[in-house]
């Protein structure tokens, strides 16, 4: 008897997107209570006016569940139709069990496969790439991809280099089968030689020894240089890999890291003015793996992103790692 192999759909597509942000709005004026800064400096250097931090009762799990339910509703599917759950997060503060397994159970999936990935701010695009492969290989028909962070809980609020930047939220997408191409090839990679550029400052043992929790550290200028050089070109290569020309692109939604990084990418990509650019960093800050799906959800809700639009997304961050693809808006 010959060994059987799975066979999946010809193509995959994003069927629905959802998002959830915490209720607590933290504006730049409030930031001056924690660090020596100003509203003017933060707006000029990043574009951030306000961000969201979790309040009592809000967690990375509750935000993930809210975002996932919205994505399923927008896709018009039941939890029992989800075959795999992928959660990208650096904010789930235990290594096991995965947040994905908890989400799969609380959503009442029919025992969907579930795993977390650690790809920081590139996590949503890493998740989509895996979902695309699972659907096309036949390993899953429908995959729930979540990017969720509560960075406010692992950021040193007295650190002038990071406190004003990071925020909380969750975004989700359902990826399912398609008869026509609706997700371009992933362009991705890593540079672990720069692992220390964004990193947690102590491991568990050191946390116990020092009695201090582990928090994010970042060398902002080094990340900025990498993002405006190498990553801007990776965005160009991602668009090229999709087979689309800049004229055929409707939307550009990079990781909401810093508006100046987005501006620099735009100069490099030479996109026509008809392309709508995601800039939700203004109201939601930089919430890592959640930033792209939160931006997509907001742009769909506002009518800036329409069904059938082509959208270039690219995430980049701690690792250092990056991933991007062109998707079709559901
Ligand atoms: O999402 C994961 C990936 N992360 C990123 O993509 C972040 C990339 N990096 C950045 O976005 C920027 O590096 C930051 C927004 C984090 C910082 O902006 P910067 O322009 O690189 O600031 P800097 O560290 O070069 O500091 C410039 C000036 C300095 O003053 P002088 O020496 O020019 O007088 C700092 O002392 O700004 C001052 N400064 C601040 N002022 C007010 C530094 N931090 C602050 C602050 N508030 N929080």
């Amino acid at each position: 008897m010959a060994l059987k192999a799975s066979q999946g759909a010809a193509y995959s597509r994003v069927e629905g997107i959802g998002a959830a942000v915490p209720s607590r709005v933290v504006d730049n004026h409030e930031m001056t209570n924690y660090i020596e800064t100003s509203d003017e400096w933060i707006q000029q250097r990043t574009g951030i006016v306000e961000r969201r931090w979790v309040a009592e009762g809000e967690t990375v799990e509750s935000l993930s569940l809210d975002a996932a339910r919205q994505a399923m509703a927008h896709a018009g599917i039941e939890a029992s139709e989800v075959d795999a759950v992928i959660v990208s997060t650096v904010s789930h503060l235990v290594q096991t069990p995965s947040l994905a397994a908890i989400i799969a159970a609380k959503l009442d999936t029919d025992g969907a496969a579930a795993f977390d990935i650690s790809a920081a701010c590139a996590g949503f695009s890493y998740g989509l790439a895996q979902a695309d492969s699972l659907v096309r290989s036949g390993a899953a028909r429908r995959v729930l991809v979540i990017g969720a962070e509560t960075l406010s809980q692992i950021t040193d609020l007295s650190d002038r280099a990071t406190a004003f930047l990071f925020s909380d939220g969750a975004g989700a997408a359902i990826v399912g089968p398609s008869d026509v191409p609706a997700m371009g090839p992933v362009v991705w990679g890593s540079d672990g030689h720069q692992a220390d550029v964004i990193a947690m400052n102590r491991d568990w043992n050191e946390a116990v020894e020092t009695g201090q929790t582990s928090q994010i550290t970042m060398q902002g200028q080094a990340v900025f240089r990498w993002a405006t050089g190498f990553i801007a070109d990776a965005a160009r290569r991602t668009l090229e890999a999709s087979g689309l020309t800049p004229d055929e692109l409707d939307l550009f939604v990079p990781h909401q890291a810093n508006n100046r990084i987005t501006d620099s990418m735009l100069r490099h990509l030479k996109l026509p003015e008809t392309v709508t650019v995601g800039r939700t960093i203004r109201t939601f800050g930089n919430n890592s793996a959640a930033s792209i799906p939160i931006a997509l959800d907001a742009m769909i809700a506002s009518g800036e992103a329409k069904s059938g639009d082509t959208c270039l997304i690219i995430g980049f961050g701690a690792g250092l790692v990056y991933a991007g693809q062109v998707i079709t808006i559901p």
Side-chain angles (χ1 to χ4, degrees):
M1 240 185 10
L3 179 69
K4 286 184 188 167
S6 65
Q7 261 195 327
Y11 306 104
S12 78
R13 69 184 180 100
V14 175
E15 297 181 311
I17 288 173
V21 292
S23 54
R24 185 170 169 225
V25 179
V26 179
D27 66 16
N28 290 342
H29 299 289
E30 181 176 339
M31 288 311 308
T32 62
N33 297 334
Y34 313 122
I35 52 172
E36 196 193 319
T37 192
S38 67
D39 175 44
E40 191 191 5
W41 187 92
I42 297 173
Q43 287 208 39
Q44 269 180 10
R45 295 281 167 154
T46 67
I48 299 172
V49 175
E50 58 189 37
R51 75 280 293 134
R52 300 291 180 106
W53 287 355
V54 281
E56 189 76 30
E58 293 170 333
T59 63
V60 69
E61 181 186 309
S62 70
L63 294 170
S64 296
L65 287 169
D66 288 350
R69 289 191 178 108
Q70 279 191 33
M72 290 191 301
H74 290 154
I77 66 151
E78 303 292 328
S80 57
E81 296 174 73
V82 172
D83 302 313
V85 177
I86 303 172
V87 179
S88 178
T89 183
V90 298
S91 315
H92 177 54
L93 298 184
V94 296
Q95 277 156 315
T96 195
S98 68
L99 181 56
I102 294 164
I103 299 296
K106 292 206 170 171
L107 287 176
D108 270 335
T109 66
D110 194 10
F115 58 97
D116 291 355
I117 54 176
S118 174
C121 308
F124 184 69
S125 281
Y126 265 74
L128 281 190
Q130 291 182 43
D132 171 56
S133 298
L134 293 177
V135 169
R136 288 193 294 122
S137 72
R141 186 166 165 79
R142 284 209 164 74
V143 183
L144 166 62
V145 178
I146 301 174
E149 304 291 0
T150 47
L151 296 182
S152 65
Q153 299 185 320
I154 53 171
T155 299
D156 176 356
L157 299 187
S158 65
D159 177 14
R160 238 173 142 226
T162 55
F164 61 92
L165 191 66
F166 292 134
S167 60
D168 306 340
I174 297 290
V175 177
S178 173
D179 295 333
V180 294
M183 194 183 306
V186 66
V187 171
W188 58 352
S190 69
D191 179 9
H193 297 294
Q194 297 196 69
D196 59 343
V197 164
I198 313 174
M200 303 305 287
N201 60 355
R202 49 182 77 87
D203 65 23
W204 282 20
N205 291 336
E206 288 164 349
V208 170
E209 278 160 25
T210 60
Q212 292 182 301
T213 58
S214 189
Q215 293 172 317
I216 308 174
T217 61
M218 182 176 74
Q219 298 167 33
Q221 287 189 6
V223 185
F224 196 95
R225 276 195 301 275
W226 177 69
T228 54
F230 183 84
I231 295 302
D233 201 55
R236 184 194 58 74
R237 287 189 282 118
T238 306
L239 181 60
E240 198 175 276
S242 78
L244 299 183
T245 61
D247 286 345
E248 293 168 312
L249 193 67
D250 298 306
L251 308 160
F252 175 47
V253 182
H255 165 46
Q256 300 293 291
N258 183 329
N259 261 345
R260 287 191 295 137
I261 292 175
T262 300
D263 291 340
S264 171
M265 285 181 166
L266 279 172
R267 287 193 291 275
H268 186 80
L269 287 167
K270 299 188 175 67
L271 297 180
E273 296 212 333
T274 49
V275 174
T276 304
V277 180
R279 296 211 186 255
T280 45
I281 192 171
R282 187 172 188 279
T283 42
F284 297 130
N286 174 343
N287 39 32
S288 189
S291 88
I292 291 174
I294 285 176
L296 292 173
D297 181 72
M299 292 168 80
I300 291 169
S302 71
E304 283 173 290
K306 294 172 203 66
S307 180
D309 279 357
T310 55
C311 178
L312 170 62
I313 62 175
I314 186 160
F316 51 91
L320 297 172
V321 296
Y322 68 96
Q325 56 270 94
V326 171
I327 60 169
T328 305
I329 298 295

